[in-house]
Amino acid sequence: MHHTHELELFPDRKVTQVLFQEVKNAAELRQIAVDGQINAALINPTMLVHPLQVLVAANKAVHLQNTGKMKTRSLNSEIIFNLSPTNKISEAFKRFGISDGDDSVMVVMVHDKNESQLVEDIVTKVDGRQVPVEELSSLSDSANIRKLYKVCPQEETCGTLLDAVICRMATKDVM
Amino acid sequence: MAKERSGVIHELLRKAELLKQGAEARVYRAQFLGRSVIVKERFAKRYRHPGLDDKLTHRRTVQEVRSILRCRRGGISAPVVYFVDHTFHCIFLEEILGSLTVRDHIAFTQQSDSCEDRELEQLAQRVGQILAKMHDEDVIHGDLTTSNMLLRRGQEDKESDLVLIDFGLSYISSLPEDKGVDLYVLEKAFLSTHPNTEALFKVLLKSYTASSKKSSAVIKKLDEVRLRGRKRSMVG
């Protein structure tokens, strides 16, 4: 159901993604995340094309944390910031973080141990139905993603929407 | 965190397969985030002043990545960029699987007995078109050779995809002179690599001229550059 990947560049750092639908306590979740009671990034899944998008953001975040070059204050906020095509932190949170009325949430955790306990803890905190991460594409709002990342039809002739999004994420700081 | 001295590379690169070592960079194949990637590492040049070396290497890395993104935005196939490590100057790129260089394709096609002219002409036309598109985006490749063009097998019955790679010497420029030189580099590489292909290259240029909105100025410059070259008299 959930998806875990060990970062090749940072062995022992794993990224776990847990997806929920029919979420009823988004506001509460957002609050406890802000208070630092959940060590996770809470992401709006309608802005995600594929779990790889999250891995690219998380990998970059861990790299920047290790080299002391994060733009935001925590690893979790850095993951959200890396998803965004712009350099405005507040905008990244507005678009990619969860809002009080959201009914779906992607929970992303970077950790070094086995994830089962972490996933269990998250499942108890979220008032919603856990769904397989593979179902992420059915939640994607492609039109909105294209608009936000400014992907034109021409670019999609030489690659997928995921390719376009990843390229922008990887090169944001030098474009 | 202090940057480690050159020569120290990621654990990943230590275990990865080294494909090529050039004067400027090492190219590896590795697995990254569940995908097959090519990692291009621009290693430190110890013969350079370290401060200068770092700036230069960084600049080259940035130019490469900007050119790739510009191409993609213009609908020109180039590898997807997954990650750029600015501390070690490594670019993590999509590995184009199931592909053949245009160089090998031309060589194999010429070797076989079958009627190749039409097929190679069509390929030359496509190359001309894609280069016209690239130059219209003001991307100068900098190292145009048939080894830097890949033919990727298309899905099902779709035509194979022409992918440009190795943007290591690329930069952004609108000058016809730069575009002319880009084509000149290709012409020299093309004619020396593939014997008896003057006519084929003419087809490529014809296709380029037809496909680019700014081609006449570029071809004019190409003619001028040809007159310059090595062993050329510059007597007016």
Side-chain angles (χ1 to χ4, degrees), chain B residues 63-64 67-68 70-71 131 134-144 164 166-183 185 208 218:
Chain B
Q63 278 177 324
E64 179 163 6
S67 299
I68 291 174
R70 238 194 194 202
C71 277
L131 293 182
M134 185 184 75
H135 282 172
D136 280 352
E137 291 294 326
D138 290 343
V139 174
I140 311 300
H141 184 281
D143 190 13
L144 284 175
L164 297 180
D166 198 356
F167 285 80
L169 294 172
S170 64
Y171 57 99
I172 311 292
S173 168
S174 56
L175 298 177
E177 161 96 20
D178 293 334
K179 296 171 186 175
V181 169
D182 218 17
L183 292 177
V185 167
Y208 176 94
V218 175

Side-chain angles (χ1 to χ4, degrees), chain B residues 61-92:
Chain B
T61 304
V62 166
Q63 278 177 324
E64 179 163 6
V65 152
R66 274 191 194 144
S67 299
I68 291 174
L69 194 61
R70 238 194 194 202
C71 277
R72 292 192 62 93
R73 284 214 287 244
I76 299 152
S77 290
V80 173
V81 181
Y82 287 117
F83 174 56
V84 185
D85 179 343
H86 290 284
T87 48
F88 288 101
H89 309 295
C90 289
I91 305 177
F92 288 67

Side-chain angles (χ1 to χ4, degrees), chain B residues 24-151:
Chain B
E24 182 149 356
R26 279 185 282 265
V27 177
Y28 302 84
R29 176 189 288 136
Q31 287 299 309
F32 179 71
L33 305 182
R35 297 267 168 122
S36 286
V37 299
I38 296 292
V39 184
K40 185 166 177 177
E41 178 204 17
R42 277 190 168 80
F43 49 85
K45 313 294 179 303
R46 304 250 275 225
Y47 53 81
R48 285 191 196 139
H49 181 281
L52 282 174
D53 183 41
D54 205 50
K55 275 240 143 63
L56 252 168
T57 308
H58 176 78
R59 192 174 292 185
R60 294 252 168 89
T61 304
V62 166
Q63 278 177 324
E64 179 163 6
V65 152
R66 274 191 194 144
S67 299
I68 291 174
L69 194 61
R70 238 194 194 202
C71 277
R72 292 192 62 93
R73 284 214 287 244
I76 299 152
S77 290
V80 173
V81 181
Y82 287 117
F83 174 56
V84 185
D85 179 343
H86 290 284
T87 48
F88 288 101
H89 309 295
C90 289
I91 305 177
F92 288 67
L93 298 160
E94 170 194 9
E95 181 181 12
I96 312 291
L97 299 161
S99 67
L100 185 67
T101 61
V102 167
R103 179 200 178 150
D104 289 344
H105 177 82
I106 293 177
F108 293 157
T109 309
Q110 280 183 325
Q111 269 170 26
S112 76
D113 290 326
S114 57
C115 180
E116 20 103 342
D117 293 357
R118 191 64 202 129
E119 209 262 292
L120 288 184
E121 262 180 33
Q122 281 175 346
L123 178 60
Q125 274 171 352
R126 287 176 66 197
V127 174
Q129 273 169 6
I130 202 177
L131 293 182
K133 229 187 198 184
M134 185 184 75
H135 282 172
D136 280 352
E137 291 294 326
D138 290 343
V139 174
I140 311 300
H141 184 281
D143 190 13
L144 284 175
T145 69
T146 50
S147 305
N148 284 338
M149 299 173 192
L150 301 182
L151 277 168

